[in-house]
Amino acid sequence: MTIEPLAPDTLLTTTRSVRRRLDLSRPVPAELVRQSLEVALQAPSGGNRQGWHWIVVTDPERRKVIGDYYRRSWNSYYTSDGSARSMFRDDQARAAVQERVSGSAAYLAEHMGDVPVLVIGAIELPGGRLPEGNQAGLWGSLLPAAWSYMLAARARGLGSAWTTLHLEYESEIAELLGIPAEVRQGVLLPTAYFTGESFRPAARQPLDEVLHLDRW
């Protein structure tokens, strides 16, 4: 397997959440997922605790159950005031982008159970319970590794999408997969080969609108 020779900035700016363009019919070699997770394990974690766990789900029946839960969560989210499609209604250009994002997300929700590999990133809780107050240290010890997984997968010809909607049914999915109570899920990364080669940087708000030098 040849890793695509992408320059760092190219890899970072063209790794997108892939939804419609996941190839649902092509099997994904387990070795590519393992290699991507090996890269993910090089990410930083608080105190070098490395308390992350990765549940890789390929069994069709388990994927179907997770997909059903995900679809139910999506249907609830889609009609809520906080959904992506309800944002920026006063900005025509951004509203159009949000509609496209919602359309692709709806497609993924309908087909989540068909994606060949579902990777759940989880973290073991220090002391067995969620910390009170600010939890940045806890989730900051998992989420950089999840992003590293997406980058490594992209370099190996695989697409993935960052989503957390499954967490509405976290306890049910934990029971399905035998995840211990002291381990909490943080992200779901559906993974498959992607179709097409037209990934490019996304339109973003100008840096100067969010940049603060020395003070707010």
Side-chain angles (χ1 to χ4, degrees):
M1 195 281 305
T2 302
I3 297 176
E4 190 172 351
L6 297 171
D9 283 6
T10 300
L11 178 63
L12 288 165
T13 58
T14 64
T15 298
R16 309 255 64 88
S17 277
V18 185
R19 303 180 184 95
R20 290 187 186 273
R21 292 168 57 181
L22 293 174
D23 190 335
L24 305 179
S25 63
R26 185 178 176 186
V28 174
E31 183 58 25
L32 293 187
V33 177
R34 287 188 60 90
Q35 289 176 11
S36 300
L37 288 172
E38 290 282 4
V39 172
L41 297 190
Q42 293 298 314
S45 62
N48 197 32
R49 183 182 295 273
Q50 302 176 57
W52 44 50
H53 291 270
W54 308 92
I55 302 93
V56 178
V57 185
T58 59
D59 175 75
E61 291 303 315
R62 289 184 173 88
R63 286 189 285 118
K64 180 180 183 302
V65 173
I66 294 172
D68 289 342
Y69 282 131
Y70 190 89
R71 187 183 306 108
R72 288 164 60 181
S73 182
W74 164 260
N75 290 338
S76 175
Y77 165 77
Y78 185 70
T79 57
S80 72
D81 292 337
S83 69
R85 65 190 293 268
S86 67
M87 298 177 185
F88 310 114
R89 287 300 186 188
D90 58 345
D91 184 329
Q92 186 174 0
R94 292 195 72 178
V97 172
Q98 295 304 107
E99 284 290 348
R100 290 196 299 272
V101 170
S102 291
S104 66
Y107 176 88
L108 179 61
E110 187 63 29
H111 295 281
M112 181 65 79
D114 301 320
V115 179
V117 179
L118 302 180
V119 177
I120 294 176
I123 192 160
E124 191 168 350
L125 304 180
R129 58 185 178 83
L130 285 171
E132 297 180 2
N134 194 316
Q135 296 183 3
L138 175 69
W139 299 112
S141 296
L142 170 66
L143 303 186
W147 175 234
S148 291
Y149 169 83
M150 290 183 68
L151 295 170
R154 160 91 166 97
R156 288 161 174 77
L158 301 176
S160 58
W162 187 290
T163 182
T164 58
L165 281 178
H166 73 296
L167 292 176
E168 184 173 344
Y169 297 97
E170 181 181 9
S171 60
E172 290 86 350
I173 293 173
E175 182 177 1
L176 173 72
L177 302 178
I179 301 173
E182 67 273 13
V183 174
R184 295 296 296 270
Q185 301 165 53
V187 64
L188 171 61
L189 302 164
T191 303
Y193 282 103
F194 56 76
T195 61
E197 294 289 345
S198 60
F199 294 113
R200 60 184 183 274
R204 295 294 191 231
Q205 295 303 102
L207 172 61
D208 285 338
E209 292 186 6
V210 295
L211 176 64
H212 310 274
L213 297 176
D214 292 330
R215 66 185 303 275
W216 189 275

